[in-house]
């Protein structure tokens, strides 16, 4: 039972690594002569705009980790029972191994979605800031 608890905690920590974008990873500068307080207001507005534009992608990344961990645990439990002819001790071990493997796979899959969400966030943020007349770096 202690082993299973440890595996659950480890799997939860792997899936907890996934997060939604918290801000842009690109630099945007105010146009010459624009007051900085106005630039800050536009920055806040555009951050909210960008966050709303990637909400679905971020939610999908968070769900990916949890779903993969649950499926992995279920498949591991079944495999543990089948391999040892229904021995209940192996069900727990199989579930723990499946949970760990499922969490690792979920973390890898959701990492890709997280990167996609960050890229979409940056694009939405840059579009918004450009529309407000700010200087946006060119993408080559």
């Amino acid at each position: 039972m202690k082993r299973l608890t440890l595996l659950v905690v480890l799997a939860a920590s792997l899936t907890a690594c996934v997060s939604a974008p918290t801000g842009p990873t690109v630099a945007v500068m105010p146009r010459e002569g624009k007051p900085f307080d106005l630039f800050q207001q536009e920055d806040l507005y555009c951050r909210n705009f960008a966050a709303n534009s990637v909400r679905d992608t971020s939610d999908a990344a968070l769900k990916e980790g949890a779903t993969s961990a649950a499926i992995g645990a279920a498949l591991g439990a079944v495999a543990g029972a089948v391999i040892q002819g229904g021995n209940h001790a192996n069900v727990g071990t199989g579930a723990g191994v499946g949970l760990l493997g499922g969490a690792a796979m979920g973390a890898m899959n959701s990492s890709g979605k997280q990167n996609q969400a960050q890229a979409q966030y940056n694009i939405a943020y840059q579009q918004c800031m450009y529309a407000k007349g700010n200087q946006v770096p060119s993408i080559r």
Side-chain angles (χ1 to χ4, degrees):
M1 185 65 180
K2 288 181 182 181
R3 184 187 309 170
L4 182 59
T5 303
L6 178 62
L7 288 173
V8 169
V9 169
L10 182 60
S13 68
L14 286 174
T15 58
C17 295
V18 180
S19 65
T22 57
T25 57
V26 294
V28 174
M29 300 297 174
R31 73 174 188 278
E32 190 175 328
K34 179 179 273 192
F36 189 67
D37 58 337
L38 176 58
F39 175 77
Q40 287 179 309
Q41 291 171 3
E42 292 171 352
D43 175 67
L44 180 61
Y45 175 83
C46 290
R47 284 174 185 256
N48 287 331
F49 171 78
N52 287 332
S53 70
V54 298
R55 183 175 298 133
D56 291 340
T57 305
S58 298
D59 289 347
L62 294 171
K63 289 177 186 174
E64 181 77 31
T67 302
S68 292
I71 291 172
L75 291 175
V78 169
V82 169
I83 290 171
Q84 293 299 320
N87 185 343
H88 73 280
N90 293 318
V91 172
T93 302
V97 171
L99 180 64
L100 184 60
M105 289 301 294
M108 287 189 311
N109 291 340
S110 62
S111 175
K113 284 185 175 47
Q114 186 176 359
N115 291 340
Q116 177 186 2
Q118 183 66 57
Q120 289 175 343
Y121 181 99
N122 287 343
I123 290 169
Y125 176 77
Q126 286 179 311
Q127 289 172 337
C128 180
M129 290 298 279
Y130 183 80
K132 301 263 183 212
N134 295 295
Q135 297 177 2
V136 175
S138 64
I139 300 172
R140 298 174 196 226

